[in-house]
Amino acid sequence: METFTSQSLPTLPSGGFMENAAHRFRGDIQGLRALAVGLVVLYHGGLPFLPGGYVGVDVFFVISGFLITTHLLQRLERTGRVGFADFYARRARRILPASLLVVALTVIAALIGMPPLLMKEVFFGAVATALYVPNILFGLQGT
């Protein structure tokens, strides 16, 4: 297994790998995000010339992969280590509060607007989503 060190990373003319990238506005990244959102919205709008809704999601995956790799390489350059545990802990602290808020608001909206007989499914979906395994549940249900 190859080990990466800060000395083995490609550098920019400034001497650092993507120096200060975390603190810099990236118009190119924001533009790609807007394109991805637009593709997903158009697909869900039912446009006949967009039969596959996965293109926008794929764009998001590519952006995420680029940003995650850049971040990990910056950390490697700065500290000489990648630090996966710290990386994922920071992501969890950033993403989980908003994710759990969306789950809670969705359950509240379902309680208000859905028939009581469907609430069991909503609650199972909410728990699966909170545990980050909804695709497993929905796959088992065949949905």
Side-chain angles (χ1 to χ4, degrees):
M1 184 163 121
E2 185 176 355
T3 302
F4 292 100
T5 64
S6 59
Q7 290 78 27
S8 67
L9 294 175
T11 58
L12 298 175
S14 64
F17 180 84
M18 299 292 289
E19 194 170 307
N20 292 324
H23 303 291
R24 195 168 33 124
F25 176 79
R26 296 286 309 262
D28 54 341
I29 299 295
Q30 296 304 324
L32 286 171
R33 284 180 172 160
L35 174 68
V37 168
L39 289 169
V40 171
V41 168
L42 289 173
Y43 167 74
H44 285 290
L47 296 176
F49 58 87
L50 286 174
Y54 49 83
V55 176
V57 175
D58 286 348
V59 172
F60 272 115
F61 283 143
V62 171
I63 294 168
S64 294
F66 170 77
L67 293 173
I68 288 168
T69 302
T70 300
H71 177 80
L72 293 173
L73 288 173
Q74 287 173 339
R75 165 102 184 208
L76 180 63
E77 183 182 68
R78 239 181 8 261
T79 66
R81 297 186 46 193
V82 172
F84 284 107
D86 183 52
F87 172 80
Y88 282 108
R90 281 196 309 272
R91 300 286 103 38
R93 284 191 300 272
R94 182 175 59 89
I95 293 170
L96 284 178
S99 176
L100 295 175
L101 176 65
V102 168
V103 170
L105 292 176
T106 301
V107 169
I108 291 168
L111 285 168
I112 293 168
M114 291 186 68
L117 293 175
L118 294 177
M119 289 311 299
K120 182 178 177 183
E121 288 182 50
V122 171
F123 287 128
F124 277 122
V127 170
T129 300
L131 297 174
Y132 273 74
V133 293
N135 288 341
I136 294 170
L137 173 67
F138 301 146
L140 292 171
Q141 292 175 341
T143 57

